[in-house]
Amino acid sequence: MANMNEISLVEYLELIGEPIRPDGHSYYRHKQHDSLIISVRKNAFYWNSRGIGGGPIQYLMAMYNMSYSEARNKFLDDINKGDMQKISVKAKHYAEKFNYKEIESYLTIEAKKYLVVERKINNSVVNFLLDKGLIAEEVKYHNIIFKWFKDGKFCGYGRLQI
């Protein structure tokens, strides 16, 4: 097999009898370890309580304390015995042009206090970000806007509700 990640992780885990259940539109959750989730879209698992994740090999290593070679051999044996289908991973789609529609204002005293006092960001760092136009406050909901730049161009942003 050219690439082990071409095999659906959910299908593989069901093949080997792992106790997983659907959890929302594109996730599965392990029935015995509630912090272990499987993303169908990313074809990967994340075991949040242990801070680990990956594909089928990493799953076997984490769940059954196997070495890499043991996990790889088990995986290859399992998929050769089962009727496994290759998955097609959809290419990510990005908008052709970034469209920023937020109405912003200078940070209010409450927003600045939140960043400095609650989030423990140095006041000089907050002032620097304000001076460079990297943060602002959204007028409608008073969220803090963090602007993203790539190659000097404004390309996105995130909001922080205070």
Side-chain angles (χ1 to χ4, degrees), residues 74-130:
K74 176 178 176 19
F75 175 75
L76 292 173
D77 287 345
D78 290 339
I79 62 170
N80 287 331
K81 292 175 189 170
D83 183 24
M84 303 295 296
Q85 301 293 319
K86 286 188 177 183
I87 62 166
S88 59
V89 179
K90 294 179 183 175
K92 291 183 180 178
H93 173 70
Y94 298 100
E96 290 184 29
K97 184 178 179 186
F98 173 65
N99 192 6
Y100 183 68
K101 295 181 180 180
E102 301 301 333
I103 300 171
E104 60 183 59
S105 69
Y106 199 74
L107 286 184
T108 60
I109 293 171
E110 292 82 16
K112 194 170 180 183
K113 182 179 174 185
Y114 173 78
L115 291 172
V116 173
V117 176
E118 298 294 323
R119 301 299 295 205
K120 309 284 190 238
I121 299 173
N122 189 296
N123 191 47
S124 61
V125 172
V126 173
N127 288 332
F128 175 81
L129 295 171
L130 282 167

Side-chain angles (χ1 to χ4, degrees), residues 53-70:
I57 305 299
Q58 292 80 13
Y59 180 90
L60 293 171
M61 291 170 65
M63 187 60 72
Y64 297 105
N65 199 25
M66 293 181 171
S67 69
Y68 176 82
S69 59
E70 290 171 328

